[in-house]
Amino acid sequence: MRLTQHTDYGLRLLMYVALKNGQRCTIREAAESFAISRNHLMKIANLLQHHGVLNATRGKGGGLQLAKPANTLRLGDLVQTLEPDMALAECLGENNQCVVTSQCLLIGVLSDALHEFLRTLNQYTLEDICVPKQSELRSLLQIELVTAE
Amino acid sequence: MRLTQHTDYGLRLLMYVALKNGQRCTIREAAESFAISRNHLMKIANLLQHHGVLNATRGKGGGLQLAKPANTLRLGDLVQTLEPDMALAECLGENNQCVVTSQCLLIGVLSDALHEFLRTLNQYTLEDICVPKQSELRSLLQIELVTAE
DNA sequence: AAATAAGATGCATATAATATACATCTTATT
DNA sequence: AATAAGATGTATATTATATGCATCTTATTT
Ligand code: SF4
Ligand code: SF4
């Protein structure tokens, strides 16, 4: 059982954007800071923008910003948005061929556990995983905030 | 996020064996009842035997039996045994290259959620997902118990 | 208007994980 | 010796995932 790299990259990107404190950041910049594929991150940014989590503006001076305050973005919801597929077992996805589906008691147990997993994640927001260590994280990611004048 | 088919097949096999009520069953028989790959199921049976969940005896009249009572086999433990890998994110597996690992607060949140997932599964045993629907399941799987004489 | 800097999109490819098949070996029973 | 079962190792197929590339659109600046 693992989350796709896609999902983790998405969360990393959101952490990056949140750590910029409202200042726009480009995808290129985030990809370089994390030393990960820019192309890949592009698609993730796009997905998050379509889901109303990120605002993306094109053109010179453009970039990404959070579409909502970091303390309203719950991690369980973000994981559900980012994961391509949360079908734990065959019967929970498409093309189910399992012969015991109609009477299987395991389905409910698995759904229950998945629910607890997401519920636990939803006890935390993007803010919770950024703010307490913001200076350390900014340093690791070489984020320098431009001070207003 | 999904469990491998491997894991679900393992649980199906255990359900099958449990529904036989102590009577031996062959892997072939279980594979046919579920209409799934016999070769695949063989490896799973072997894994479970090595982990002390199943007893396997070879030769004519041989087959599988539960190594422990069904009500002592907790689903969370079984899933952990069957899943090849529970590393939710890059940093929880091998070859981690994530640059923020040393300060990342997400790791703890993910571990927490995984723990809740397994804890929830461990509230149920193999017995819990078999006995309440045993006759219906036996019928779907064409299991006919030989009555003692 | 042109140049440039950004994201958007679609297609192709590479890689890795997973599932499946096949062949052969071992063990136990009859 | 024959047969029925599981054990094991290797090879292959399939699928999911990750990555790369080319082109397009949008916005800003000059
Ligand atoms: S065994 Fe139960 S949980 Fe697994 S695929 Fe079949 S119906 Fe779903
Ligand atoms: S971002 Fe955090 S959780 Fe994700 S791989 Fe890096 S250290 Fe692990």
Side-chain angles (χ1 to χ4, degrees):
Chain A
M1 188 172 81
R2 23 175 48 186
L3 298 172
T4 60
Q5 209 163 41
H6 193 86
T7 298
D8 191 56
Y9 280 8
L11 294 172
R12 291 192 213 180
L13 177 62
L14 288 171
M15 285 166 67
Y16 192 94
V17 177
L19 289 164
K20 293 283 282 192
N21 239 5
Q23 289 173 22
R24 275 188 208 292
C25 78
T26 65
I27 293 171
R28 179 187 299 268
E29 183 190 334
E32 281 170 7
S33 281
F34 278 109
I36 60 182
S37 158
R38 180 168 157 265
N39 288 292
H40 200 181
L41 210 50
M42 192 87 89
K43 313 225 160 147
I44 296 166
N46 199 231
L47 178 92
L48 289 169
Q49 127 96 1
H50 281 298
H51 279 82
V53 175
L54 284 177
N55 275 334
T57 53
R58 304 197 236 197
K60 202 163 187 172
L64 307 172
Q65 282 176 315
L66 293 180
K68 302 173 186 169
N71 65 8
T72 66
L73 293 170
R74 302 191 302 170
L75 298 188
D77 298 338
L78 292 175
V79 166
Q80 275 191 92
T81 300
L82 287 161
E83 275 293 293
D85 180 356
M86 297 288 275
L88 278 182
E90 184 176 335
C91 60
L92 298 168
E94 292 172 359
N95 298 112
N96 173 34
Q97 311 230 291
C98 179
V99 299
V100 295
T101 306
S102 69
Q103 302 295 328
C104 184
L105 297 167
L106 181 56
I107 309 175
V109 174
L110 289 176
S111 306
D112 196 1
L114 178 60
H115 181 260
E116 283 300 300
F117 179 80
L118 292 171
R119 191 187 59 74
T120 305
L121 288 181
N122 272 337
Q123 288 172 347
Y124 304 90
T125 68
L126 184 58
E127 184 176 275
D128 298 327
I129 60 167
C130 291
V131 171
K133 292 262 185 183
Q134 57 183 320
S135 54
E136 292 88 341
L137 289 167
R138 282 200 193 103
S139 153
L140 283 173
L141 293 168
Q142 292 160 296
I143 295 175
E144 291 178 20
L145 296 181
V146 180
T147 44
E149 288 163 38
Chain B
M1 188 172 82
R2 21 176 49 188
L3 299 172
T4 59
Q5 211 164 42
H6 192 86
T7 297
D8 191 55
Y9 281 9
L11 294 172
R12 288 191 214 181
L13 177 61
L14 289 171
M15 284 167 66
Y16 191 94
V17 177
L19 289 165
K20 293 283 283 196
N21 241 3
Q23 290 174 21
R24 276 188 207 290
C25 77
T26 66
I27 293 172
R28 179 188 298 269
E29 182 192 334
E32 281 170 6
S33 280
F34 277 109
I36 61 183
S37 157
R38 179 168 158 266
N39 287 292
H40 199 182
L41 209 49
M42 194 87 90
K43 312 230 159 144
I44 296 165
N46 199 230
L47 179 92
L48 289 169
Q49 127 97 359
H50 280 299
H51 280 82
V53 175
L54 284 177
N55 274 335
T57 52
R58 305 197 237 197
K60 201 164 188 173
L64 307 172
Q65 281 177 317
L66 293 181
K68 301 172 188 172
N71 65 8
T72 66
L73 293 170
R74 303 190 302 169
L75 298 188
D77 297 337
L78 293 175
V79 166
Q80 275 192 91
T81 299
L82 287 161
E83 275 293 293
D85 181 357
M86 298 290 273
L88 278 182
E90 185 178 332
C91 59
L92 298 169
E94 291 174 0
N95 298 111
N96 174 34
Q97 311 231 289
C98 180
V99 299
V100 295
T101 306
S102 68
Q103 302 295 327
C104 184
L105 297 167
L106 182 55
I107 309 174
V109 174
L110 289 176
S111 306
D112 196 1
L114 179 60
H115 181 261
E116 284 300 301
F117 179 80
L118 292 171
R119 192 186 58 74
T120 304
L121 288 180
N122 272 336
Q123 288 171 347
Y124 304 89
T125 67
L126 184 58
E127 183 176 276
D128 298 327
I129 59 167
C130 291
V131 171
K133 291 261 185 183
Q134 55 184 322
S135 54
E136 292 88 341
L137 289 168
R138 282 201 192 103
S139 153
L140 283 173
L141 293 168
Q142 293 160 295
I143 295 176
E144 290 179 22
L145 296 181
V146 180
T147 44
E149 287 162 41

